[in-house]
């Protein structure tokens, strides 16, 4: 059996958008998604990608301004009289004022409009940097630095949503002792196919943070129920998953079949919540669920004072 270790994970940065996790070195033209603040190649400080994009947009604006200045200068040089010089100068001043006003009013919109094309243009450089991070993770695994490997792949997972990344995350997480105070993930590591390591991880997570069990995990349990039941204490695990579904009423409505099938394996505290709910809402489409709940109450908790009056 694998020996598990106690760890304290590095706090993850909360961002409104995934791209905000990207940092760039302007000098080396490389990107970074981890926690380092300075480029490992040249030592310069990383810049937020939005700032780098804004500087590119600013160069476009400066180029347009220089072209306009050149146009006005050519107009003045081509003038054949004083009045033509004055007209060219006046038109130039008007153009400069108009250009300044437009940049003041619409410059932010232009920066936003240029950002997506900039990201598309930089895709290859970003992918290259992510591959470099994956190579670092490989080195960490060889050195058995599983905590560092997980923290790095957790950041990469914001950009790559493949089963390969999810399963590697699970492999690392199964090396750790899980606690209630840890920043754990479940939905973001739920693979699209059955994976024994994920079921092992799910078993541990549901003990310490059952609130992480949401729709995608419940769908996974329903889809791969037959495989889960083949595992040691598979029925108990399905009962814990069914018990976690009792946290929200919409889940009870949607997963009644799962709850009824494994009602005998739902932990006592969760089953008590279920008994109280179905007693109150028995005529709201929960007739079958009520009947199954009453059967277990009568069989196992008939003399339990906590269940008095709700059978």
């Amino acid at each position: 059996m694998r020996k598990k270790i106690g760890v304290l994970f590095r706090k993850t940065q909360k961002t409104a958008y995934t791209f905000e996790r990207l940092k760039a070195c302007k000098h080396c033209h490389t990107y970074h998604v981890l926690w380092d603040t300075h480029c490992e190649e040249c030592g310069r400080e990383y810049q937020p990608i939005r700032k780098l994009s804004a500087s590119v947009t600013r160069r476009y604006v400066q180029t347009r301004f220089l072209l306009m200045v050149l146009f006005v200068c050519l107009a003045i040089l081509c003038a054949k009289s004083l009045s033509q010089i004055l007209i060219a100068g006046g038109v130039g001043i008007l153009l400069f004022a108009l250009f300044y006003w437009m940049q003041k009013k619409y410059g932010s919109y232009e920066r936003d409009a240029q950002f997506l094309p900039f990201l598309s243009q930089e895709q290859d450089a970003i992918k290259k940097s992510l591959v470099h991070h994956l190579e670092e993770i490989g080195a960490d695994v060889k050195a058995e630095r599983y905590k560092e490997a997980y923290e790095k792949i957790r950041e990469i997972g914001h950009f790559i949503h493949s089963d390969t990344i999810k399963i590697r995350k699970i492999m690392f997480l199964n090396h750790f002792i899980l606690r209630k105070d840890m920043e754990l993930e479940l939905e973001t590591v739920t693979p699209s196919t059955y994976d024994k390591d994920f079921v092992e991880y799910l078993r541990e997570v549901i003990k310490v943070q059952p609130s992480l069990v949401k729709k995608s995990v419940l769908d996974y349990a329903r889809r791969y129920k037959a495989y889960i039941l083949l595992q040691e204490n598979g029925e108990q695990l399905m009962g814990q998953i069914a018990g976690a579904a009792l946290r929200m009423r919409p889940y009870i409505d949607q997963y009644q079949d799962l709850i009824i099938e494994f009602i005998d394996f739902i932990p006592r505290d969760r089953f008590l919540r279920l008994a109280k709910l179905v007693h109150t809402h028995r005529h709201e489409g929960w007739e079958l669920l009520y009947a199954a709940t009453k059967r277990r109450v009568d069989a196992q908790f008939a003399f339990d004072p906590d269940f008095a009056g709700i059978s």
Side-chain angles (χ1 to χ4, degrees):
M1 187 171 176
R2 179 188 297 132
K3 183 181 178 182
K4 298 194 175 187
I5 57 175
V7 293
L8 183 65
F9 292 143
R10 186 188 299 266
K11 291 288 185 182
T12 57
Q13 179 189 7
K14 305 296 182 184
T15 59
Y17 302 100
T18 301
F19 69 77
E20 292 175 336
R21 312 183 82 86
L22 278 168
K23 296 173 287 187
C25 175
K26 293 171 66 175
H27 181 261
C28 300
H29 193 217
T30 57
Y31 290 89
H32 193 79
V33 301
L34 304 180
W35 40 84
D36 299 316
T37 57
H38 290 75
C39 177
E40 62 182 20
E41 296 295 331
C42 66
R44 287 178 171 81
E45 187 175 4
Y46 285 120
Q47 300 293 321
I49 191 171
R50 201 69 193 253
K51 186 175 180 180
L52 183 62
S53 173
S55 68
V56 172
T57 303
R58 189 163 54 249
R59 285 200 296 272
Y60 292 156
V61 172
Q62 291 169 346
T63 300
R64 290 201 298 270
F65 180 76
L66 290 174
L67 288 172
M68 189 171 62
V69 170
L70 180 62
F71 172 76
V72 172
C73 290
L74 285 173
I76 291 173
L77 290 174
C78 293
K80 297 180 180 178
S81 64
L82 181 60
S83 60
Q84 289 180 343
I85 292 173
L86 292 174
I87 291 171
V91 169
I93 292 170
L94 182 63
L95 284 174
F96 295 153
L98 182 63
F99 184 84
Y100 176 79
W101 176 80
M102 289 187 68
Q103 285 302 312
K104 197 79 173 174
K105 190 172 180 65
Y106 300 108
S108 61
Y109 296 105
E110 183 176 14
R111 286 192 293 273
D112 290 340
Q114 291 290 337
F115 184 61
L116 283 179
F118 174 79
L119 274 181
S120 298
Q121 177 185 317
E122 295 297 297
Q123 274 188 1
D124 288 342
I126 294 170
K127 287 178 182 176
K128 186 177 178 181
S129 296
L130 291 175
V131 169
H132 176 66
H133 290 325
L134 287 171
E135 290 171 352
E136 291 180 22
I137 291 169
D140 287 332
V141 172
K142 286 181 180 178
E144 297 186 356
R145 294 190 296 265
Y146 297 114
K147 173 182 175 291
E148 290 79 1
Y150 170 68
E151 289 172 341
K152 289 175 182 177
I153 204 166
R154 181 178 59 183
E155 295 302 317
I156 293 171
H158 290 286
F159 299 89
I160 305 175
H161 307 286
S162 69
D163 271 2
T164 301
I165 295 297
K166 292 176 181 179
I167 289 168
R168 290 184 75 177
K169 277 187 189 181
I170 294 162
M171 288 170 61
F172 300 146
L173 285 163
N174 280 337
H175 281 87
F176 311 134
I177 299 169
L178 305 186
R179 303 185 310 275
K180 288 183 179 181
D181 62 325
M182 296 175 81
E183 188 178 349
L184 299 175
E185 51 182 332
L186 188 56
E187 280 197 297
T188 49
V189 296
T190 304
S192 61
T193 58
Y194 178 75
D195 183 74
K196 186 177 178 180
D197 287 331
F198 172 72
V199 174
E200 180 186 337
Y201 174 66
L202 173 59
R203 189 191 300 275
E204 297 302 314
V205 169
I206 211 166
K207 291 176 185 176
V208 296
Q209 293 187 25
S211 61
L212 292 179
V213 177
K214 297 180 182 176
K215 187 177 184 306
S216 63
V217 180
L218 291 166
D219 287 339
Y220 184 92
R222 177 189 274 167
R223 187 164 61 249
Y224 297 110
K225 174 181 65 177
Y227 293 97
I228 295 172
L229 290 174
L230 292 174
Q231 304 304 313
E232 185 179 359
N233 298 319
E235 288 179 325
Q236 283 72 20
L237 176 56
M238 290 301 301
Q240 289 177 311
I241 295 169
L246 303 176
R247 197 169 47 85
M248 296 175 63
R249 183 167 175 180
Y251 287 171
I252 301 176
D253 290 329
Q254 190 172 354
Y255 299 98
Q256 273 195 61
D257 59 325
L258 202 68
I259 296 168
I260 291 170
E261 184 175 358
F262 296 100
I263 198 164
D264 291 334
F265 300 96
I266 294 176
R268 183 187 180 281
D269 61 326
R270 305 306 297 161
F271 182 69
L272 178 60
R273 169 176 167 75
L274 174 63
K276 290 177 179 178
L277 282 170
V278 296
H279 179 74
T280 306
H281 305 284
R282 70 177 78 174
H283 301 302
E284 299 178 22
W286 288 2
E287 289 81 6
L288 293 176
L289 186 57
Y290 171 74
T293 304
K294 186 177 185 305
R295 175 184 54 76
R296 186 181 175 192
V297 170
D298 292 343
Q300 297 182 19
F301 303 104
F303 302 102
D304 191 320
D306 289 337
F307 288 85
I310 59 175
S311 62

